[in-house]
Amino acid sequence: MKEKWLNRLALVVFVLVVGLWVWWLFRPQPMPFVLRARGKVQGVVVDGIAFSPKGDWLAALVLNFQRGQSTLTVQLWQVPQTQTNPKVFSVSQQVQPMGISIPQLGFSPDGRLLAVGYREQGLSKVTIFRVADGRRLQTITMGKWVLAPTVTFAPDGRLAVVHDFRLWFVRVDDGKKMPTNIQAKEIAFSPDGRWLAALLIDGSVSLYDANGRLVRQFRQPMQPFWAAAFSKDGQRLACLWRLLRMKLPIAPMRYGVSIWQASDWRLVRSTPLTPFYENLSPSAAFAPDLSMVALSEPDTSGWDGLWWRLEHFVVEKLMRRQHLSASPTQAVVRRLRDGKMVAKLPRFGRSARDFAFSPDGRYLAVLHLADTIALWERKGD
């Protein structure tokens, strides 16, 4: 009799343990983001989405392929009603197809102008539009280069263009180009215009003052930087870095962040953000207050993830060959102070390709391969 009750008790304990384990795996996760809109775009959205300075417009660069011709347009949706028909600005009907050259876009500080950098017939060009009516104000030819020029407006309204790994300023009224001695592949201005951070091709970051004088250079051996941003109060500079773990035939990678205090450029924090992954795509966006960052991270759930894992097993384990196809990815939001995951956002398609936070940090736009844009509203941490 005693043995019978012990068996029943063991069964109850076993069921409770399994139940708690299942609950832990599938328990509801806190979700500080709410989906406000999701829509498909007619065409292919390239990795270029941006909010206007007031956060009332969301712009995307869209490629259409018809009869062997690539047509590039800018499409703008009102926020948060992104299901409505967008404004469409025609940029080029002879744009270079995607590859290593990805078109770029940027709003002026007052939101009146929108600049687009692209390649057309082997030439790097920048076109400036007036947002109110879509009027084309200027088209500036920068010259021959294999990449589309990067466009950014300085806080004082000057158009900054990175062409051939060199910074140029372009006057909007007459298109006059003014070269500088600053080398960069991407740049970021502090909101007050006092500082300029230039990301170099060797993975270092050079810091310049408003007069173009080199103030400081940040370099981390074995951890090259690939993105930089100032906080909206201009008091901090954050740079994302990546670290390879040497493991053949594939070197897994992880991402981390370094943050400096602008008052004395003291390094405040350098923290890994992600575990080591075999597949990571270099897409990220900082929240304006530098409280969090949105990253693209592998996601092997769902049927496409299951298929990828099966393909990975067959190619690497059975065929003993290197598996090169990238896994599906999803948008993951992490806190910068400790790298803790804040949210995993559902994906609408195979991968999350690009991100943009609105200037007030209220909205996060996520571009999914290759024609879906999701708009999330931030509710809290």
Side-chain angles (χ1 to χ4, degrees):
M1 191 71 176
K2 182 178 180 181
E3 183 178 348
K4 183 177 180 181
W5 278 104
L6 287 176
N7 289 337
R8 289 180 178 178
L9 181 61
L11 178 62
V12 170
V13 171
F14 175 77
V15 171
L16 285 174
V17 170
V18 172
L20 287 172
W21 178 68
V22 172
W23 172 83
W24 176 259
L25 289 178
F26 298 98
R27 71 192 187 282
Q29 297 292 328
M31 186 60 173
F33 290 88
V34 177
L35 183 63
R36 287 304 181 201
R38 173 167 63 98
K40 285 187 174 293
V41 178
Q42 296 299 317
V44 177
V45 182
V46 300
D47 294 359
I49 56 176
F51 282 94
S52 63
K54 294 181 180 179
D56 52 347
W57 291 100
L58 175 64
L61 287 166
V62 180
L63 271 173
N64 284 283
F65 302 95
Q66 293 182 350
R67 299 176 183 178
Q69 190 177 51
S70 303
T71 301
L72 179 66
T73 61
V74 178
Q75 300 189 18
L76 294 98
W77 293 268
Q78 282 191 310
V79 177
Q81 294 84 16
T82 54
Q83 298 96 334
T84 57
N85 292 329
K87 286 186 179 182
V88 179
F89 303 163
S90 179
V91 179
S92 171
Q93 293 185 338
Q94 297 175 321
V95 71
Q96 299 292 120
M98 287 189 300
I100 62 172
S101 177
I102 299 176
Q104 309 283 329
L105 57 78
F107 283 93
S108 62
D110 58 10
R112 295 190 310 108
L113 305 178
L114 179 67
V116 181
Y118 58 99
R119 290 187 72 230
E120 182 182 70
Q121 296 182 328
L123 296 174
S124 296
K125 296 185 177 182
V126 176
T127 293
I128 304 171
F129 294 94
R130 191 163 61 193
V131 174
D133 55 9
R135 180 184 174 188
R136 184 188 295 250
L137 301 179
Q138 289 282 349
T139 295
I140 303 102
T141 300
M142 301 301 300
K144 291 185 177 181
W145 196 30
V146 296
L147 301 176
T150 300
V151 292
T152 308
F153 280 92
D156 60 7
R158 293 180 299 166
L159 176 60
V161 179
V162 175
H163 166 70
D164 198 11
F165 297 123
R166 186 181 185 184
L167 175 62
W168 302 66
F169 285 104
V170 177
R171 285 205 312 225
V172 174
D173 53 353
D174 59 7
K176 183 179 179 180
K177 297 177 290 186
M178 294 162 283
T180 72
N181 295 321
I182 297 176
Q183 300 294 313
K185 70 173 184 178
E186 292 182 11
I187 60 171
F189 290 97
S190 62
D192 58 5
R194 185 180 178 186
W195 308 108
L196 182 152
L199 184 65
L200 279 66
I201 58 175
D202 65 358
S204 62
V205 174
S206 295
L207 185 71
Y208 296 88
D209 62 16
N211 298 318
R213 182 176 61 89
L214 180 63
V215 175
R216 192 73 57 90
Q217 190 167 43
F218 306 115
R219 189 188 303 272
Q220 293 185 171
M222 307 302 294
Q223 297 176 355
F225 298 114
W226 60 275
F230 286 91
S231 59
K232 62 182 180 181
D233 60 5
Q235 298 302 309
R236 289 169 294 156
L237 170 66
C239 295
L240 290 177
W241 48 263
R242 47 192 168 194
L243 174 65
L244 288 175
R245 183 171 63 188
M246 301 313 297
K247 177 185 175 183
L248 297 178
I250 297 177
M253 184 184 298
R254 78 186 307 180
Y255 288 157
V257 64
S258 295
I259 301 177
W260 291 268
Q261 193 71 35
S263 57
D264 54 6
W265 298 115
R266 175 178 56 89
L267 180 63
V268 177
R269 186 180 307 111
S270 188
T271 308
L273 292 175
T274 70
F276 280 98
Y277 290 126
E278 288 189 3
N279 292 284
L280 283 176
S281 56
S283 300
F286 288 102
D289 58 0
L290 293 188
S291 62
M292 57 184 63
V293 63
L295 294 161
S296 181
E297 298 186 24
D299 174 31
T300 55
S301 63
W303 288 107
D304 49 2
L306 177 62
W307 175 256
W308 181 85
R309 281 185 288 175
L310 178 62
E311 179 189 11
H312 186 276
F313 174 78
V314 171
V315 173
E316 288 206 344
K317 304 300 182 182
L318 301 183
M319 300 176 64
R320 303 291 182 181
R321 294 171 58 185
Q322 184 173 347
H323 185 241
L324 296 178
S325 67
S327 67
T329 59
Q330 68 182 132
V332 176
V333 183
R334 294 182 178 273
R335 280 202 312 242
L336 288 183
R337 70 172 180 265
D338 55 10
K340 183 178 179 181
M341 187 182 301
V342 175
K344 280 186 177 181
L345 304 182
R347 55 185 172 91
F348 306 102
R350 181 176 173 82
S351 62
R353 291 278 302 277
D354 199 13
F355 314 94
F357 276 98
S358 61
D360 59 1
R362 179 180 177 184
Y363 294 106
L364 170 63
V366 181
L367 167 62
H368 297 269
L369 183 71
D371 60 356
T372 301
I373 297 178
L375 184 69
W376 298 85
E377 185 176 6
R378 179 180 171 186
K379 287 297 186 181
D381 297 342

